[in-house]
Coordinates of all heavy atoms in Angstrom, one line a residue:
Chain A
D180 N -0.2 -13.2 20.0 CA 0.4 -12.0 20.2 C -0.6 -11.2 21.1 O -1.8 -11.3 20.8 CB 0.7 -11.2 18.9 CG 1.8 -11.8 18.1 OD1 2.6 -12.5 18.8 OD2 1.9 -11.6 16.9
S181 N -0.1 -10.4 22.0 CA -1.2 -9.7 22.8 C -0.7 -8.4 23.2 O 0.5 -8.1 23.2 CB -1.5 -10.5 24.1 OG -0.4 -10.7 24.8
E182 N -1.6 -7.5 23.5 CA -1.3 -6.2 24.1 C -2.2 -6.0 25.3 O -3.1 -5.4 25.4 CB -1.7 -5.1 23.0 CG -0.6 -5.1 21.9 CD -1.2 -4.6 20.6 OE1 -2.2 -3.9 20.6 OE2 -0.7 -5.0 19.6
D183 N -1.7 -6.7 26.3 CA -2.4 -6.8 27.6 C -2.4 -5.5 28.3 O -1.3 -5.0 28.6 CB -1.8 -8.0 28.4 CG -2.5 -8.1 29.7 OD1 -3.4 -7.4 30.0 OD2 -2.2 -9.2 30.4
S184 N -3.5 -5.0 28.6 CA -3.5 -3.6 29.3 C -2.9 -3.7 30.7 O -2.5 -2.7 31.2 CB -5.0 -3.1 29.3 OG -5.7 -4.0 30.1
D185 N -2.8 -4.9 31.2 CA -2.2 -5.0 32.6 C -0.7 -5.3 32.5 O 0.0 -5.5 33.5 CB -2.8 -6.2 33.3 CG -4.3 -5.8 33.6 OD1 -4.6 -4.6 33.8 OD2 -5.1 -6.7 33.6
A186 N -0.2 -5.4 31.3 CA 1.3 -5.7 31.1 C 2.2 -4.6 31.6 O 1.7 -3.5 31.5 CB 1.5 -6.1 29.7
P187 N 3.3 -5.0 32.1 CA 4.3 -3.9 32.5 C 4.8 -3.2 31.2 O 4.6 -3.6 30.1 CB 5.4 -4.7 33.2 CG 5.4 -6.1 32.6 CD 3.9 -6.3 32.2
A188 N 5.5 -2.1 31.5 CA 6.1 -1.3 30.4 C 7.3 -2.0 29.8 O 8.5 -1.6 30.0 CB 6.4 0.1 30.9
A189 N 7.1 -3.2 29.2 CA 8.2 -3.9 28.7 C 7.6 -4.7 27.5 O 6.4 -5.0 27.5 CB 8.8 -4.8 29.7
L190 N 8.5 -5.2 26.7 CA 8.1 -6.1 25.6 C 8.7 -7.5 26.0 O 9.9 -7.7 26.3 CB 8.7 -5.6 24.3 CG 8.2 -6.4 23.1 CD1 8.1 -5.5 21.9 CD2 9.2 -7.5 22.8
T191 N 7.8 -8.5 26.0 CA 8.2 -9.8 26.5 C 7.9 -10.8 25.4 O 6.8 -10.9 24.9 CB 7.5 -10.2 27.8 OG1 7.7 -9.1 28.7 CG2 7.9 -11.5 28.3
A192 N 8.9 -11.6 25.1 CA 8.7 -12.8 24.3 C 8.9 -14.0 25.1 O 9.9 -14.2 25.9 CB 9.7 -12.8 23.1
T193 N 7.9 -14.9 25.0 CA 8.1 -16.1 25.9 C 7.9 -17.4 24.9 O 7.0 -17.5 24.2 CB 6.8 -16.2 26.8 OG1 6.9 -14.9 27.6 CG2 7.0 -17.4 27.8
D194 N 8.9 -18.2 25.0 CA 9.0 -19.5 24.3 C 8.7 -19.2 22.8 O 7.9 -20.0 22.2 CB 8.0 -20.5 24.8 CG 8.4 -20.9 26.3 OD1 9.6 -20.9 26.6 OD2 7.5 -21.2 27.1
A195 N 9.2 -18.1 22.3 CA 9.0 -17.7 20.9 C 9.7 -18.6 19.9 O 10.9 -18.7 20.0 CB 9.3 -16.3 20.7
S196 N 8.9 -19.1 18.9 CA 9.5 -19.9 17.9 C 9.1 -19.4 16.6 O 7.8 -19.1 16.4 CB 9.1 -21.4 18.0 OG 9.7 -21.9 19.2
F197 N 9.9 -19.4 15.6 CA 9.6 -19.0 14.3 C 10.7 -19.5 13.3 O 11.9 -19.5 13.6 CB 9.5 -17.5 14.1 CG 9.1 -17.0 12.7 CD1 7.7 -17.0 12.4 CD2 10.0 -16.7 11.8 CE1 7.3 -16.7 11.1 CE2 9.6 -16.3 10.5 CZ 8.3 -16.3 10.2
G198 N 10.3 -19.9 12.2 CA 11.3 -20.4 11.2 C 10.7 -20.4 9.8 O 9.5 -20.3 9.6
Y199 N 11.6 -20.3 8.9 CA 11.3 -20.5 7.4 C 11.7 -22.0 7.1 O 12.4 -22.6 7.9 CB 12.1 -19.5 6.6 CG 11.9 -18.1 6.9 CD1 12.9 -17.3 7.5 CD2 10.7 -17.4 6.6 CE1 12.7 -16.0 7.8 CE2 10.5 -16.1 6.8 CZ 11.5 -15.3 7.4 OH 11.3 -14.0 7.7
P200 N 11.2 -22.5 6.0 CA 11.5 -23.8 5.7 C 13.0 -24.0 5.6 O 13.7 -23.3 4.9 CB 11.0 -24.0 4.3 CG 9.8 -23.0 4.2 CD 10.2 -21.9 5.1
G201 N 13.5 -24.9 6.5 CA 14.9 -25.2 6.7 C 15.8 -24.2 7.4 O 17.0 -24.4 7.6
V202 N 15.1 -23.1 8.0 CA 15.9 -22.2 8.8 C 15.1 -21.8 10.0 O 13.9 -21.5 10.0 CB 16.0 -20.8 7.9 CG1 16.8 -19.8 8.7 CG2 16.7 -21.1 6.6
T203 N 15.8 -21.9 11.1 CA 15.2 -21.5 12.4 C 15.6 -20.2 12.8 O 16.8 -19.9 12.8 CB 15.7 -22.6 13.5 OG1 15.2 -23.9 13.2 CG2 15.0 -22.2 14.9
I204 N 14.7 -19.3 13.0 CA 15.0 -17.9 13.4 C 14.9 -17.8 14.9 O 15.9 -17.2 15.6 CB 14.0 -16.9 12.8 CG1 14.1 -17.1 11.2 CG2 14.3 -15.5 13.2 CD1 15.4 -16.8 10.6
L205 N 13.8 -18.3 15.5 CA 13.8 -18.4 17.0 C 13.3 -19.8 17.4 O 12.4 -20.3 16.8 CB 12.7 -17.4 17.5 CG 13.1 -15.8 17.4 CD1 11.9 -15.0 18.0 CD2 14.4 -15.6 18.3
D206 N 14.0 -20.3 18.4 CA 13.7 -21.6 18.8 C 13.3 -21.6 20.3 O 14.2 -21.7 21.2 CB 14.9 -22.6 18.6 CG 14.7 -24.0 19.0 OD1 13.4 -24.4 19.1 OD2 15.6 -24.8 19.0
A207 N 12.1 -21.4 20.6 CA 11.6 -21.3 22.0 C 12.4 -20.3 22.8 O 12.8 -20.6 23.9 CB 11.6 -22.7 22.6
A208 N 12.6 -19.1 22.2 CA 13.4 -18.1 22.9 C 12.5 -17.3 23.7 O 11.4 -17.0 23.4 CB 14.2 -17.3 21.8
S209 N 13.1 -16.9 24.8 CA 12.4 -15.9 25.7 C 13.3 -14.7 26.0 O 14.5 -14.9 26.2 CB 12.0 -16.6 27.0 OG 11.1 -17.7 26.7
V210 N 12.7 -13.6 26.1 CA 13.5 -12.4 26.5 C 12.4 -11.3 26.9 O 11.3 -11.3 26.5 CB 14.2 -11.9 25.2 CG1 13.4 -11.3 24.1 CG2 15.3 -10.8 25.7
E211 N 12.9 -10.4 27.8 CA 12.1 -9.3 28.2 C 12.9 -8.0 28.1 O 14.0 -7.9 28.6 CB 11.7 -9.5 29.7 CG 10.8 -8.3 30.2 CD 10.2 -8.5 31.6 OE1 9.4 -9.5 31.7 OE2 10.6 -7.7 32.5
L212 N 12.3 -7.1 27.2 CA 13.0 -5.8 27.0 C 12.4 -4.8 27.9 O 11.2 -4.6 27.8 CB 12.9 -5.5 25.5 CG 13.4 -6.6 24.5 CD1 13.1 -6.0 23.1 CD2 14.8 -7.0 24.8
Q213 N 13.3 -4.1 28.6 CA 12.8 -3.1 29.5 C 12.6 -1.7 29.0 O 13.5 -1.3 28.2 CB 13.7 -3.1 30.8 CG 13.7 -4.3 31.6 CD 12.3 -4.7 32.2 OE1 11.5 -3.8 32.5 NE2 12.1 -6.0 32.4
A214 N 11.6 -0.9 29.4 CA 11.5 0.4 29.0 C 12.8 1.2 29.6 O 13.2 0.9 30.7 CB 10.2 1.1 29.6

Side-chain angles (χ1 to χ4, degrees):
Chain A
D180 291 334
S181 61
E182 285 149 26
D183 185 350
S184 61
D185 297 327
L190 185 148
T191 306
T193 306
D194 298 327
S196 295
F197 183 83
Y199 301 108
V202 180
T203 299
I204 302 299
L205 287 179
D206 184 11
S209 296
V210 68
E211 181 172 295
L212 306 180
Q213 296 297 332

